[in-house]
Amino acid sequence: MSDQLTSREGTRERIVEAARELFFEQGYNATGMSQILNRAEANSGSLYHFFQTKEDLLVAVLEKYKLMLCPMVIEPAKQRASDPVDRLFAILMGYRMLLEATEFRLGCPIGNLALELSNSHPRARQLIEENFEGWVGEVRAIVDEVSDRLPEGMDAECVATLLLSAMEGGVMLARTYRSLEPFDRTVHAVRLMFDQLVRGGSEWSAPLTATSTP
Amino acid sequence: MSDQLTSREGTRERIVEAARELFFEQGYNATGMSQILNRAEANSGSLYHFFQTKEDLLVAVLEKYKLMLCPMVIEPAKQRASDPVDRLFAILMGYRMLLEATEFRLGCPIGNLALELSNSHPRARQLIEENFEGWVGEVRAIVDEVSDRLPEGMDAECVATLLLSAMEGGVMLARTYRSLEPFDRTVHAVRLMFDQLVRGGSEWSAPLTATSTP
DNA sequence: CACTAAGTTGAGTGATCGATCAACTTTAGC
DNA sequence: GCTAAAGTTGATCGATCACTCAACTTAGTG
């Protein structure tokens, strides 16, 4: 049988993917190696042939996330909207859709690992930072398209950072409350402030401010 | 020796406090019972006399956090500022001070546990929700004092939720980057938007917007 | 003081943790 | 087709996990 994807690096990828899913669902410390092996349908010897320690596997997972940012987060959102500001909120809506589809179990995998591991795993912390940096970079590039409309004292980096913070906080609250309400309130508040901020932008408008432009 | 605080419920409190500190520093799953016993200077039998399981101990920690909100977070911030809007940002500055004092190791203990345990520990999730609810309630009460200045479509609940989300996200980024910059950028963006929003408030102003009012 | 309940001691439980290893099979290059 | 490297197998390792328990000490009550 020509299972060239199953063997020959196929095992390694199955292990990384299984670990990624389980770290996402349960966290790093709560996930055992045996659990990963079960889901990957591999044996411990295979795993430790590719990864010397559990932390090395975590590093591989975080490297994979860096590659997943654009195809899984940024590009789909860009497909769903054309206006720059709409694209920013389309990115946030991506996380909302995932929360809804998983009954508030899955939000942002990087955020989970950030709080769990930043103190104890320096290599992971560095890679988490790089993941955040990638996210902010992509978002800032979109904000840059309308940066001429930003008020004094506010630059694209600042706006992108706020969007990331608000997203991570909103996801945290949604998962805790098992409800989209706190997430929606957060996004709504940001959007309304955006309205005031980038006044005179395109004709997008926040849901509850019907007629704010003259 | 009259160690009436050491024995007679003193042991229980020492155990809860040790667990609280360690869960804060390392997370729930990464903290072992033996570690808690060492820091509390207690034996396992004493611990399991008061708490049947590790999760029961976690519940006690979360109950304690509910009692700590006002004396440790809200009241000190109110002491440091008198204007309602200033008080809101004084609360955020409290987290900033903790981040700075601990070299970005400690941020919000509830946020840590929220992401780690919301999926797997229903009782903890409920108590974490109650902790967030307490925070939002206190902050909303402050926002209510200036709610007449909020624009259409924005209520105090919405503003309080945004402040919580932004704080949690900002703390997450500061701990990951080991820097106050992302936290400060987040708070700065919120404050600038606040400026636009609650225009005509008191004379507080965001650092980088020197002359925006006519 | 006697009695009981509350609290404490710390060795010990089985289970599971991350990790190891020698034996074995498959693949790639010549 | 032979050889060496790469990959796989699964039993097994010691350490640590959350947790138990019988014996013991202390505190509260009549």
Side-chain angles (χ1 to χ4, degrees):
Chain A
M1 309 303 273
S2 59
D3 267 352
Q4 292 193 339
L5 274 180
T6 297
S7 49
R8 170 93 155 276
E9 293 296 295
T11 301
R12 194 193 129 103
E13 178 51 31
R14 265 179 11 251
I15 290 170
V16 173
E17 176 61 16
R20 188 191 67 79
E21 294 171 10
L22 287 163
F23 292 165
F24 195 5
E25 297 165 11
Q26 317 183 20
Y28 177 75
N29 287 304
T31 299
M33 299 300 265
S34 61
Q35 232 180 331
I36 297 171
L37 294 171
N38 280 339
R39 185 171 297 201
E41 293 180 285
N43 297 100
S44 62
S46 292
L47 195 158
Y48 284 98
H49 172 72
F50 294 109
F51 308 101
Q52 290 194 343
T53 67
K54 188 184 183 185
E55 189 180 11
D56 287 332
L57 177 54
L58 170 65
V59 165
V61 167
L62 288 168
E63 294 283 9
K64 180 171 183 176
Y65 272 125
K66 286 172 69 176
L67 301 176
M68 289 172 70
L69 171 66
C70 279
M72 303 295 283
V73 178
I74 305 297
E75 289 306 326
K78 285 187 176 176
Q79 287 286 331
R80 297 197 300 273
S82 55
D83 176 80
V85 178
D86 286 340
R87 284 181 163 174
L88 296 177
F89 287 93
I91 291 171
L92 301 190
M93 284 307 106
Y95 293 93
R96 187 189 195 277
M97 288 161 58
L98 182 57
L99 285 167
E100 196 168 29
T102 61
E103 286 176 311
F104 318 106
R105 304 183 106 76
L106 303 188
C108 171
I110 310 300
N112 297 350
L113 298 173
L115 290 190
E116 186 179 2
L117 305 173
S118 281
N119 284 353
S120 51
H121 294 68
R123 283 201 301 159
R125 186 209 63 77
Q126 173 64 32
L127 280 160
I128 292 164
E129 177 177 334
E130 290 169 18
N131 271 276
F132 282 146
E133 199 58 24
W135 199 99
V136 169
E138 291 295 328
V139 169
R140 185 185 46 223
I142 300 176
V143 176
D144 272 331
E145 298 176 38
V146 293
S147 60
D148 55 310
R149 283 187 258 149
L150 293 178
E152 289 181 60
M154 179 81 86
D155 58 13
E157 177 84 12
C158 219
V159 172
T161 304
L162 171 68
L163 286 170
L164 179 53
S165 289
M167 181 278 281
E168 292 290 355
V171 163
M172 178 189 291
L173 296 183
R175 290 187 52 210
T176 299
Y177 281 76
R178 302 189 73 75
S179 160
L180 288 171
E181 279 183 33
F183 183 88
D184 286 340
R185 266 197 279 269
T186 301
V187 174
H188 174 68
V190 171
R191 179 129 205 178
L192 219 65
M193 287 175 158
F194 243 78
D195 256 329
Q196 314 277 329
L197 214 66
V198 215
R199 203 180 302 261
S202 55
E203 68 289 342
W204 55 268
S205 67
L208 294 186
T209 50
T211 52
S212 63
T213 49
Chain B
M1 309 302 274
S2 59
D3 268 351
Q4 290 192 340
L5 275 179
T6 297
S7 50
R8 169 93 154 279
E9 292 297 295
T11 301
R12 194 194 128 102
E13 178 50 31
R14 262 175 17 246
I15 290 170
V16 173
E17 176 61 17
R20 188 192 66 80
E21 294 172 11
L22 286 164
F23 292 165
F24 195 6
E25 296 165 11
Q26 316 183 5
Y28 177 76
N29 286 305
T31 298
M33 298 301 265
S34 61
Q35 232 179 330
I36 296 172
L37 294 171
N38 280 338
R39 185 170 298 200
E41 294 180 286
N43 297 100
S44 62
S46 291
L47 194 157
Y48 284 97
H49 172 73
F50 293 110
F51 308 101
Q52 289 194 345
T53 67
K54 188 183 182 184
E55 189 180 10
D56 287 333
L57 177 53
L58 170 66
V59 164
V61 166
L62 288 167
E63 294 283 8
K64 180 170 183 176
Y65 272 124
K66 287 173 68 176
L67 302 177
M68 288 172 70
L69 171 66
C70 279
M72 304 293 284
V73 178
I74 306 297
E75 289 305 326
K78 285 187 175 177
Q79 286 286 333
R80 297 196 300 271
S82 55
D83 177 80
V85 179
D86 287 340
R87 283 181 163 174
L88 297 176
F89 287 92
I91 291 172
L92 300 190
M93 284 307 105
Y95 293 93
R96 188 188 194 277
M97 288 161 59
L98 182 58
L99 285 166
E100 197 168 29
T102 61
E103 288 175 311
F104 318 105
R105 304 185 100 77
L106 303 188
C108 172
I110 310 301
N112 298 350
L113 298 173
L115 291 189
E116 186 178 2
L117 305 172
S118 282
N119 283 352
S120 51
H121 292 67
R123 283 198 303 158
R125 187 209 62 77
Q126 173 63 33
L127 279 160
I128 292 164
E129 178 178 334
E130 290 169 18
N131 271 277
F132 281 147
E133 199 58 24
W135 200 99
V136 169
E138 291 294 329
V139 169
R140 185 185 45 223
I142 300 175
V143 177
D144 271 330
E145 298 177 38
V146 293
S147 61
D148 56 309
R149 283 187 256 151
L150 293 177
E152 290 182 61
M154 181 81 86
D155 57 13
E157 177 84 11
C158 219
V159 172
T161 304
L162 171 67
L163 286 170
L164 179 53
S165 289
M167 180 277 281
E168 292 290 356
V171 164
M172 178 188 292
L173 297 184
R175 289 187 52 210
T176 299
Y177 281 75
R178 302 189 72 76
S179 160
L180 288 171
E181 279 182 33
F183 183 88
D184 286 340
R185 266 197 280 269
T186 300
V187 174
H188 175 67
V190 171
R191 180 129 206 177
L192 220 64
M193 288 174 158
F194 243 78
D195 257 328
Q196 314 276 330
L197 213 67
V198 215
R199 203 181 303 261
S202 55
E203 68 287 343
W204 54 268
S205 65
L208 294 185
T209 50
T211 52
S212 64
T213 47

